[in-house]
Amino acid sequence: MNMPISRRILGTAAAAVCGAVLLHAELKYLKPGFNFFSPQQDIKLGQEAEAQVMKTQPVVNNKEVVDYLTLLGKKLQKSPRAGSFPFNYHLIYDKNINAFALPGGPIFINSATILAADNEAQLVGVLAHEMSHVALRHGTHEASKQNLISLPAALAGAMFGGTMLGSLAQYGLGFGANSLILKFSRDAEAQADYNGAEMMADAGYNPLEMAHFFEKLEANGGKMAPQFLSDHPNPGNRVKAVEEELQQMPQRDYNANTGEFPHIKDVVSRMPPPGNYKAAPAPGSAGSQDQTAPVARPAASLTSFSSNAYSLEYPSNWQVYGDQQSGAVTIAPGSGLVKGSDGATSVGYGMIASFYGADTGSVNLRTGTQQLIQQLQKENPQMTVAKAARSIRVGGQAGLETVLYSHSPYPDEARGVDLLVTTVRPQGMLYLVFVTPGSEYGQVQNVYQRIIGSITFQ
Ligand SMILES: [Zn+2]
């Protein structure tokens, strides 16, 4: 990329005019970090995740507001620091202050963010910050750092057609709307502030307003915008950092204000929730989705189940089957139970909870888990360990979590992903298996983790 050089030439030319410009040359020109994804793959991944967000979030098609966001975004896109991704802008009806960007360009702004901004420059600051995450490719950079082995293979697989999210999910890499592409490191935050401030100044807005807005969100311990601050953690001294950066920039007039902000804020404040919004696919309704898997997908709302041995929460659109007294149950949606050609029913989507080794006396967690996996492999010859056991807490005590691949009874699924959770109880080893079609696994890990976190023992 030769952008930094042309930028420096501009700076030198300006030096002849303005004495303060020597400092300008010290401004850093940030570049994206190492990345397994190509920029085109950023765009494809972002578009697929965008389609998911459009289906699962209350996205509002208010033309006036979206046109306004697009106008502000286009001003920022003229900055060379915006890179060349195809940005587009969406409004989400949400009382929580937040904003997020997906790889390759989709930007989402919550309605509450517009209401919380004091002026147009503050809203432009949020956009510039989000667009900087895209331009600097923070999402896929972070994913690349965290999946050094599995990601290159998954991306290679993704080149043979199909969806990017589906290919990544088959490798246990979840890139749904709630996944790590939305959570940034403090380094990434500092970079987004820095780059965003440059973009703002290039577009004619005072970068300090971005820092002031973030500072406002952090007042009173951040109660005003907990979600935003967890997605965009404060790198520290935001205002001071922008002030120092500003001192290195050439003098500019910040006069880009369109004057439309008060009107837009008024429109947003009177906006009704979108009528077509459905929080989760209703059980039993296939909607526009194909196959049975999405119908079976666990709802985000959970409900409680108690046996003699443990309590847990499970998705409200799944049902409990089995012997509640013994604690051996299958919890699944109707469409998650699949009848094979031999007439036997197997679980294609759902969870199983039971005890193993109940009659063998005391059980060691790690060796017991290995024996259980060997046992499961006898029953499912295609089963392999995808991710070795890692230590977790289950109901306040030591547990293990192992990811397995197995045959999926759904004909369109290349394989199933089984998340195995084990912990030792007086009754033997309690195990839970979350059985998931491979293409679905990326979408449901958050719900599974919530279920695991809900386990308590009497
Ligand atoms: Zn951020």
Side-chain angles (χ1 to χ4, degrees):
M1 203 195 255
N2 55 13
M3 214 63 107
I5 296 163
S6 60
R7 179 73 177 182
R8 207 160 284 146
I9 291 167
L10 278 175
T12 316
V17 186
C18 168
V21 180
L22 279 177
L23 284 167
H24 183 206
E26 291 168 19
L27 279 170
K28 289 174 285 182
Y29 207 104
L30 300 175
K31 287 185 200 162
F34 115 91
N35 208 313
F36 289 131
F37 291 77
S38 67
Q40 284 67 35
Q41 285 175 319
D42 271 28
I43 294 170
K44 188 158 190 281
L45 178 64
Q47 284 172 347
E48 290 177 16
E50 178 185 30
Q52 264 189 12
V53 174
M54 302 298 277
K55 267 188 242 164
T56 56
Q57 301 277 318
V59 176
V60 189
N61 288 316
N62 182 309
K63 190 172 184 304
E64 195 174 17
V65 181
V66 174
D67 282 355
Y68 175 69
L69 291 173
T70 305
L71 172 76
L72 300 182
K74 287 227 148 63
K75 285 166 176 264
L76 290 166
Q77 275 175 254
K78 286 189 189 140
S79 166
R81 311 259 179 169
S84 55
F85 283 108
F87 290 98
N88 59 32
Y89 308 89
H90 300 285
L91 175 67
I92 295 183
Y93 183 91
D94 196 321
K95 293 189 170 106
N96 299 301
I97 297 168
N98 205 8
F100 62 90
L102 296 171
I107 308 281
F108 292 83
I109 304 283
N110 281 11
S111 52
T113 306
I114 297 176
L115 297 178
D118 294 326
N119 53 49
E120 185 170 277
Q122 292 190 350
L123 177 59
V124 168
V126 174
L127 285 169
H129 177 98
E130 295 301 335
M131 291 165 77
S132 295
H133 281 312
V134 173
L136 297 170
R137 307 183 62 204
H138 285 149
T140 49
H141 166 67
E142 199 58 34
S144 299
K145 274 198 313 192
Q146 292 181 19
N147 301 283
L148 291 173
I149 305 296
S150 48
L151 196 47
L155 287 171
M159 290 167 71
F160 297 103
T163 67
M164 204 87 184
L165 289 173
S167 309
L168 294 168
Q170 283 182 4
Y171 287 80
L173 300 169
F175 280 84
N178 298 319
S179 72
L180 66 125
I181 48 177
L182 309 178
K183 304 269 180 215
F184 296 116
S185 67
R186 284 171 204 279
D187 275 357
E189 285 307 301
Q191 287 193 358
D193 282 1
Y194 190 94
N195 196 72
E198 290 285 316
M199 285 170 61
M200 284 184 81
D202 288 346
Y205 290 94
N206 187 345
L208 269 181
E209 290 295 342
M210 173 178 65
H212 285 149
F213 184 63
F214 291 154
E215 197 175 49
K216 177 178 165 175
L217 299 187
E218 274 164 32
N220 301 320
K223 281 190 201 123
M224 191 175 173
Q227 203 185 345
F228 183 90
L229 296 172
S230 100
D231 289 356
H232 303 277
N234 185 356
N237 294 322
R238 278 191 140 132
V239 174
K240 191 159 167 277
V242 174
E243 273 169 358
E244 283 172 9
E245 185 183 351
L246 207 53
Q247 281 166 12
Q248 297 174 5
M249 290 183 198
Q251 291 279 332
R252 286 182 172 110
D253 289 329
Y254 300 123
N255 55 7
N257 196 350
T258 65
E260 287 180 42
F261 183 72
H263 170 67
I264 293 295
K265 199 167 169 175
D266 185 51
V267 170
V268 171
S269 73
R270 290 186 284 104
M271 201 169 62
N276 58 354
Y277 169 49
K278 287 192 201 73
S285 74
S288 61
Q289 303 280 359
D290 51 358
Q291 298 304 311
T292 50
V295 180
R297 187 178 293 166
S301 65
L302 303 181
T303 186
S304 326
F305 165 73
S306 287
S307 77
N308 294 350
Y310 58 85
S311 300
L312 54 75
E313 295 195 305
Y314 67 94
S316 59
N317 62 333
W318 288 10
Q319 288 120 49
V320 180
Y321 305 88
D323 180 1
Q324 308 201 359
Q325 296 300 312
S326 73
V329 291
T330 296
I331 304 178
S335 56
L337 304 175
V338 185
K339 203 166 235 180
S341 51
D342 58 354
T345 299
S346 62
V347 180
Y349 206 156
M351 57 186 280
I352 297 159
S354 188
F355 286 94
Y356 173 71
D359 48 11
T360 57
S362 67
V363 187
N364 171 279
L365 176 60
R366 204 160 273 276
T367 53
T369 300
Q370 281 165 2
Q371 285 166 7
L372 171 63
I373 291 170
Q374 284 163 11
Q375 179 61 37
L376 293 172
Q377 284 175 324
K378 267 187 216 161
E379 297 167 23
N380 307 275
Q382 293 177 44
M383 183 175 271
T384 55
V385 175
K387 258 189 217 164
R390 71 176 184 98
S391 296
I392 59 166
R393 303 298 289 176
V394 181
Q397 60 175 52
L400 289 175
E401 182 184 281
T402 312
V403 181
L404 305 160
Y405 289 150
S406 65
H407 168 75
S408 175
Y410 295 112
D412 285 4
E413 294 289 337
R415 68 170 160 225
V417 180
D418 303 328
L419 178 67
L420 172 69
V421 172
T422 45
T423 189
V424 176
R425 297 297 300 157
Q427 298 93 327
M429 195 170 65
L430 173 66
Y431 69 93
L432 285 81
V433 188
F434 296 87
V435 182
T436 318
S439 67
E440 285 282 296
Y441 189 63
Q443 331 254 354
V444 296
Q445 291 180 58
N446 285 347
V447 177
Y448 290 172
Q449 290 305 322
R450 284 172 57 209
I451 295 170
I452 296 164
S454 75
I455 296 170
T456 54
F457 300 117
Q458 283 78 358

